[in-house]
């Protein structure tokens, strides 16, 4: 049970159904959920008051695609390409990871998310070389306090179906918590159709959705992958399509009709030459669309940088004037929550939802005198402006400082792991 909390007199931005500045208002949090939003709310007995005057109060960001374990290899591949990334990161560096490296990298990455206002992350984990690696990743996510979708991508030589079932049974076959499970599928476009059948079928058997890299390997491969899912009766299984760069408008409509969603990682997609990000095209076709940081090996680890990448890349299109700062903010919050299957849980200030909130400072040279709070969040804010972070009503960052973690010791361990992994 969390202490009731009243965020008093902030400039409140809600995102449902679209980003809107509510003006000066209060947000009441009770039992970990948003109880009320409005001016001059009464504070129940025992409520902690957090003065948000001169601050922006809004839903936390949702990162729909992140390889969180890669925190220890930050900036190893700037100015690179996707083939070089696959060779260096997955071919050379990943096999050097020990379970304790996975724990350090994932915990540091999850705390980096929280520090920058990301309250929910889809952790697409393809470093699970052994059961010990898997256990370390889950332990780190839980220790961080972040809301997470653990994307299980089977690695090593064991039986894929049996090990996926073990992970689900031991960690996720219980009432929902802040960490839930999806299958992170390598097939059919990366690891082939035989692997895809095994991954998608076990996901269907366990009743968990799939997050998959599909649509980013050329138009022919994108079409062939969707046909494969259709032919094998898998297309209607809940799925998030990551790097959907080469799907056509008709294919996006088919994905939407099947209940699929899209995660765009515009910064890394542009940096690694994967293709033109599909952020706007997917959203325009009616597909729930979110944003992701992807990998800090080649891109930023905060949603501010990703929102700006999405905004400027979409606005650069001849028909891109419709993509506004409000569209970028929605993709980073409620759109991301919908993409991750959490639209009823987080992403907006709707009473009854989990209290996943952030408070942003505006008393800096970079944020002062902003006339449009939504535009200021998208175009001007940075991690240093994130003053307070709540997940499920728990205060995980206060006064600009992460709570409950020995960050200097964690960073020391991360540096040691990084030195060994990249030696």
């Amino acid at each position: 049970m969390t202490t009731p909390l009243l965020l008093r007199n902030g400039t409140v931005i809600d995102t449902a159904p679209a980003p809107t500045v509510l003006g000066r208002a209060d947000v009441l949090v009770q039992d970990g959920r948003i109880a009320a939003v409005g001016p001059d709310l009464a504070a129940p007995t025992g409520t902690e008051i957090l003065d948000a005057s001169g601050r922006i109060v809004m839903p936390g960001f949702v990162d729909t695609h992140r390889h969180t374990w890669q925190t220890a290899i930050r900036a190893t591949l700037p100015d690179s390409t996707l083939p070089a990334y696959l060779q260096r990161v997955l071919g050379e560096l990943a096999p050097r990871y020990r379970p304790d490296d996975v724990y350090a990298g994932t915990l540091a990455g999850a705390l980096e998310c929280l520090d920058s206002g990301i309250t929910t992350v889809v952790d697409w984990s393809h470093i699970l070389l052994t059961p010990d690696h898997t256990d370390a990743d889950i332990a780190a996510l839980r220790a961080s306090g972040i809301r997470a979708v653990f994307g299980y991508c089977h690695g090593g030589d064991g039986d894929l179906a049996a090990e996926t079932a073990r992970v689900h049974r031991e960690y996720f076959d219980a009432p929902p918590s802040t960490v839930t499970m999806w299958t992170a599928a390598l097939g059919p476009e990366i690891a082939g159709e035989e692997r895809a059948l095994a991954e998608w079928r076990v996901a269907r058997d366990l009743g968990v959705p799939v997050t998959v890299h599909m649509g980013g390997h050329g138009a022919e491969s994108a079409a062939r992958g969707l046909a494969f899912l259709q032919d094998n009766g898998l297309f209607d299984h809940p799925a998030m399509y990551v790097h959907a760069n080469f799907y056509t408008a008709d294919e996006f409509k088919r994905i939407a009709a099947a209940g699929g969603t899209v995660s765009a990682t515009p910064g890394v997609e542009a940096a690694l030459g994967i293709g033109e990000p599909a952020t706007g095209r997917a959203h325009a076709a009616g597909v729930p669309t979110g944003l992701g940081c992807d990998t800090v090996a080649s891109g930023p680890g905060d949603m501010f940088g990703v929102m700006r990448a999405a905004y400027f890349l979409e606005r650069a299109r001849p028909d891109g004037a419709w993509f506004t700062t409000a569209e970028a903010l929605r993709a980073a919050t409620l759109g991301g929550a919908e993409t991750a299957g959490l639209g009823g849980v987080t992403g907006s200030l709707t009473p009854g939802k989990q209290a996943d909130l952030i408070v942003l400072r505006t008393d800096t040279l970079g944020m002062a005198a902003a006339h449009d709070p939504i535009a200021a969040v998208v175009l001007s804010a940075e991690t240093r402006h994130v003053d307070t972070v709540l997940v499920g009503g728990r205060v995980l960052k206060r006064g600009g400082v992460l709570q409950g973690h020995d960050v200097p010791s964690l960073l020391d361990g991360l540096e040691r792991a990084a030195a060994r992994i990249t030696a």
Side-chain angles (χ1 to χ4, degrees):
M1 190 72 68
T2 57
T3 301
L5 179 66
L6 182 65
L7 288 81
R8 177 76 80 189
N9 200 37
T11 299
V12 177
I13 299 175
D14 197 5
T15 54
T20 304
V21 180
L22 302 183
R24 300 291 180 186
D26 305 335
V27 179
L28 177 63
V29 175
Q30 290 182 296
D31 298 327
R33 297 179 179 272
I34 298 168
V37 179
D40 302 319
L41 296 179
T45 302
T47 299
E48 178 186 355
I49 307 297
L50 193 158
D51 185 7
S53 301
R55 305 283 198 264
I56 292 172
V57 180
M58 58 172 286
F61 299 121
V62 179
D63 183 343
T64 58
H65 184 71
R66 191 184 192 103
H67 304 301
T68 317
W69 61 272
Q70 295 181 3
T71 309
I73 55 173
R74 186 186 309 275
T76 53
L77 284 168
D79 316 315
S80 192
T81 63
L82 179 59
Y85 165 86
L86 295 174
Q87 177 181 342
R88 176 64 172 154
V89 174
L90 300 187
E92 299 173 8
L93 299 180
R96 302 178 187 175
Y97 267 73
R98 304 178 306 204
D100 57 331
D101 300 326
V102 174
Y103 183 88
T106 301
L107 179 56
L111 293 181
E112 177 185 3
C113 287
L114 291 169
D115 192 42
S116 65
I118 295 169
T119 53
T120 299
V121 63
V122 179
D123 176 32
W124 213 105
S125 191
H126 49 359
I127 191 60
L128 309 179
L129 308 178
T130 69
D132 288 342
H133 287 72
T134 302
D135 298 344
D137 196 306
I138 296 169
L141 290 175
R142 289 181 169 178
S144 73
I146 200 167
R147 190 175 307 282
V149 172
F150 172 63
Y152 176 77
C153 181
H154 180 70
D157 300 323
D159 182 270
L160 183 152
E163 179 60 11
T164 307
R166 176 196 76 84
V167 173
H168 185 265
R169 179 179 64 254
E170 292 187 7
Y171 291 107
F172 301 102
D173 191 15
S177 68
T178 53
V179 182
T180 54
M181 178 182 177
W182 286 30
T183 288
L186 282 175
E189 286 195 68
I190 294 178
E193 296 179 354
E194 181 178 354
R195 166 136 182 163
L197 287 174
E199 292 170 325
W200 288 69
R201 285 172 176 170
V202 73
R204 184 178 58 192
D205 292 344
L206 295 174
V208 299
V210 170
T211 173
V212 59
H213 296 80
M214 280 184 65
H217 303 274
E220 182 179 346
S221 178
R224 186 169 60 249
L226 290 187
F228 166 80
L229 296 180
Q230 189 85 53
D231 293 344
N232 287 278
L234 302 171
F235 189 47
D236 61 349
H237 186 76
M240 177 199 302
Y241 297 83
V242 183
H243 309 317
N245 307 68
F246 290 96
Y247 289 129
T248 65
D250 287 342
E251 287 167 337
F252 278 129
K253 290 177 182 178
R254 289 173 55 203
I255 289 172
T261 65
V262 163
S263 171
T265 68
V268 167
E269 287 167 4
L272 294 183
I274 295 174
E276 291 187 5
T279 318
R281 293 188 299 114
H283 177 67
V287 187
T289 304
L291 300 176
C293 293
D294 199 344
T295 173
V296 296
S298 302
D302 64 276
M303 192 57 68
F304 301 110
V306 174
M307 283 191 295
R308 285 194 268 277
Y311 175 76
F312 290 123
L313 287 167
E314 291 300 321
R315 297 282 295 186
R317 297 179 187 276
D319 59 348
W322 70 273
F323 195 88
T324 62
T325 51
E327 295 288 352
L329 185 62
R330 190 186 191 283
T333 52
L334 183 57
E338 294 169 345
T339 299
L342 297 171
V345 176
T346 189
S348 73
L349 301 183
T350 305
K353 283 191 176 184
Q354 292 289 320
D356 297 353
L357 310 173
I358 61 175
V359 179
L360 305 179
R361 295 180 55 183
T362 61
D363 57 343
T364 70
L365 291 174
M367 285 286 281
H371 294 265
D372 183 336
I374 291 173
V377 172
V378 175
L379 300 179
S380 304
E382 302 171 359
T383 294
R384 66 191 179 98
H385 295 113
V386 180
D387 179 84
T388 304
V389 175
L390 281 71
V391 175
R394 293 180 58 216
V395 179
L396 301 183
K397 184 178 183 181
R398 185 190 295 268
V401 179
L402 289 170
Q403 305 293 294
H405 293 276
D406 185 352
V407 175
S409 294
L410 174 61
L411 295 180
D412 286 344
L414 186 70
E415 291 287 353
R416 290 193 297 270
R420 187 184 56 77
I421 291 164
T422 58

